[in-house]
């Protein structure tokens, strides 16, 4: 994979003098993708690009000195955890990690009471867990910014990084971008991509079996946003038609954490026609198409779970083949790094005046 070269991707008018463009998000939470308007979303991307350039140039100025941030992780994480940690520390803030089983949430103490306690101690709260209602309740009762690091319904900090990565690697305005999400489309990642793409005015295609399409209420939200943004939305079972002419291919894991092994065969057989492989890449008709994945990816047999799947099914890859994952088209590690820059921008935007 080619090495990064962010300098070539700075937006016009990008500032490097240490002054921040005001985002107007002070004190705000990000609980779901629709919490930001298009101008607000773009302002976070602009700020992330500035902070990224400062960091790479060794000229980053800390703006969050004296701030304390709670990181609640009811589900394990690599990218979200490290991105919040490093982003906060880069900006002079301190973090406290509250991992699975390390709080009283839901067992001995209500989320409402937890929110009111943590707000007396911390300046901001990240939550990664199960029900969307949990992060909504934290946001309603904490009085400090709360950021959704993943729930069963939305993954807004991921889509910030995704859109920054697309903007980095497209040749025209973001509104001209077309991308196709393939695979299980009834999950949090598909929800966030469909709704965010609709808000920003992109050409968004979703290719999935009809039984795994986004829920009707998610599609209704996206349709409403598209009516004002000019976004083009397509949800279809036809993968080859969906990817024709797109700039980006995007996929996610097919088997969620904790899913019973007896469900693997049925799910895999249902989704194999949506695997991102050489044939799908060729079907785009775009020699410059790029590949995105929020990670982790099942593209080889170098993990314990992948080895168990291989032993059961004989498959050495699931949602994406290794030749695509390791190709020049793959920008998944640019995307992963951008988690840190966009999360940093989100914290700076919501914790400073």
């Amino acid at each position: 994979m080619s090495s990064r070269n962010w300098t070539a991707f700075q937006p016009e008018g990008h500032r490097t003098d240490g002054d921040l463009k005001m985002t107007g998000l002070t004190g705000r939470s990000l609980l779901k993708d629709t919490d930001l308007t298009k101008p607000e979303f773009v302002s976070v991307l602009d700020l992330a690009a500035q902070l990224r350039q400062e960091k790479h140039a060794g000229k980053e100025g800390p703006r969050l000195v004296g701030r304390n941030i709670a990181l609640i992780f009811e589900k394990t994480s690599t990218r979200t955890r490290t991105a919040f940690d490093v982003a906060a520390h880069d900006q002079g803030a301190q973090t406290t990690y509250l991992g699975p089983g390390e709080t009283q949430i839901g067992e001995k103490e209500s989320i409402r009471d937890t929110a009111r306690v943590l707000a007396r101690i911390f300046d901001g709260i990240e939550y990664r867990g199960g029900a969307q209602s949990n992060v909504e309740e934290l946001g309603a009762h904490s009085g400090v910014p709360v950021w959704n690091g993943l729930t069963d319904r939305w993954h807004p900090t991921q889509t910030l990084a995704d859109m920054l990565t697309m903007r980095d690697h497209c040749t025209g305005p973001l509104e001209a971008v077309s991308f196709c999400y393939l695979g299980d489309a009834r999950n949090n990642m598909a929800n966030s991509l469909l709704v965010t793409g609709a808000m920003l005015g992109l050409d968004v295609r979703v290719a999935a079996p009809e039984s795994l399409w986004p829920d009707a209420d998610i599609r209704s939200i996206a349709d409403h946003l598209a009516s004002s943004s000019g976004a083009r939305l397509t949800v279809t079972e036809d993968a080859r038609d969906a990817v024709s002419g797109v700039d980006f291919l995007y996929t996610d894991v097919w088997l969620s954490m904790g899913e019973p092994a007896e469900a693997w065969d049925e799910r895999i057989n249902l989704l194999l026609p949506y695997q991102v492989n050489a044939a799908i890449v060729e079907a785009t008709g775009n020699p410059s198409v790029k590949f995105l994945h929020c990670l982790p990816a099942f593209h080889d047999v170098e993990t314990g779970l992948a080895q168990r799947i291989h032993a059961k099914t004989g498959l050495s890859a699931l949602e994406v083949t290794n030749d695509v994952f390791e190709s020049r088209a793959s920008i998944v590690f640019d995307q992963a790094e951008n988690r840190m820059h966009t999360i940093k921008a989100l914290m700076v935007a919501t914790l400073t005046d």
Side-chain angles (χ1 to χ4, degrees):
M1 238 172 283
S2 59
S3 61
R4 68 190 181 202
N5 178 16
W6 298 121
T7 304
F9 301 131
Q10 301 310 321
E12 184 178 355
H14 182 69
R15 307 189 325 175
T16 58
D17 59 3
D19 295 328
L20 295 183
K21 182 179 180 181
M22 301 304 292
T23 62
L25 295 176
T26 304
R28 295 267 296 277
S29 292
L30 180 61
L31 309 178
K32 55 188 180 300
D33 295 79
T34 53
D35 285 343
L36 297 178
T37 64
K38 179 178 179 178
E40 289 168 344
F41 194 102
V42 172
S43 75
V44 176
L45 299 189
D46 289 342
L47 179 55
Q50 178 182 345
L51 294 173
R52 181 177 64 192
Q53 183 167 324
E54 289 182 5
K55 180 178 175 69
H56 289 170
K59 298 179 179 180
E60 184 169 359
R63 291 130 175 138
L64 297 179
V65 175
R67 303 287 188 170
N68 290 285
I69 295 167
L71 304 178
I72 302 174
F73 280 82
E74 294 186 337
K75 289 189 174 183
T76 57
S77 168
T78 298
R79 278 148 297 280
T80 305
R81 163 76 190 279
T82 56
F84 267 99
D85 249 338
V86 174
H89 294 161
D90 279 353
Q91 283 292 310
Q94 302 295 315
T95 60
T96 298
Y97 174 72
L98 301 170
E102 293 185 357
T103 71
Q104 311 292 347
I105 294 176
E107 184 63 28
K108 295 182 179 179
E109 188 168 35
S110 68
I111 293 174
R112 177 182 298 187
D113 289 353
T114 300
R116 292 184 287 187
V117 169
L118 294 181
R120 298 295 184 100
I121 301 170
F122 295 97
D123 301 290
I125 302 168
E126 179 276 345
Y127 175 84
R128 179 184 178 95
Q132 174 69 17
S133 59
N134 290 348
V135 75
E136 297 277 356
E137 193 160 7
L138 279 173
H141 299 287
S142 67
V144 300
V146 175
W147 311 293
N148 181 347
L150 176 145
T151 63
D152 59 355
R153 191 165 176 81
W154 303 107
H155 200 352
T157 57
Q158 177 66 52
T159 46
L160 279 167
D162 296 340
M163 295 304 155
L164 180 61
T165 308
M166 290 186 196
R167 194 174 77 168
D168 288 339
H169 288 274
C170 68
T171 57
L174 187 60
E175 292 86 349
V177 162
S178 60
F179 75 89
C180 183
Y181 175 90
L182 301 98
D184 184 351
R186 57 172 189 177
N187 63 14
N188 49 15
M189 201 63 255
N191 292 347
S192 285
L193 285 167
L194 181 62
V195 166
T196 297
M199 176 184 67
L200 295 177
L202 278 58
D203 178 353
V204 184
R205 294 96 173 276
V206 174
E210 187 171 0
S211 61
L212 298 180
W213 284 1
D215 289 343
D217 61 330
I218 297 293
R219 295 175 64 185
S220 178
I221 293 169
D223 287 340
H224 175 73
L225 291 168
S227 67
S228 57
S229 72
R232 292 79 67 203
L233 307 181
T234 304
V235 179
T236 178
E237 289 191 296
D238 190 332
R240 293 182 67 86
D241 184 59
V243 303
S244 178
V246 296
D247 303 301
F248 299 93
L249 298 169
Y250 197 122
T251 192
D252 193 6
V253 293
W254 294 347
L255 303 170
S256 300
M257 290 184 294
E259 193 147 18
E262 54 268 23
W264 291 358
D265 287 346
E266 181 180 358
R267 176 67 60 80
I268 289 169
N269 289 335
L270 185 64
L271 289 171
L272 269 176
Y274 303 92
Q275 182 185 69
V276 180
N277 51 36
I280 284 291
V281 171
E282 184 178 1
T284 69
N286 180 4
S288 300
V289 69
K290 303 298 183 186
F291 170 70
L292 294 163
H293 193 305
C294 54
L295 302 181
F298 291 95
H299 61 97
D300 56 26
V301 291
E302 295 185 12
T303 66
L305 180 55
Q307 288 164 13
R308 293 194 293 275
I309 292 170
H310 176 68
K312 182 176 178 57
T313 67
L315 296 171
S316 58
L318 291 184
E319 72 276 7
V320 57
T321 55
N322 198 52
D323 58 335
V324 173
F325 187 88
E326 297 291 354
S327 72
R328 292 178 61 85
S330 179
I331 53 173
V332 298
F333 297 109
D334 288 356
Q335 181 186 6
E337 181 188 333
N338 279 336
R339 294 297 308 283
M340 175 181 62
H341 304 302
T342 47
I343 282 170
K344 184 184 296 182
L346 179 64
M347 289 192 292
V348 170
T350 55
L351 292 178
T352 61
D353 296 328

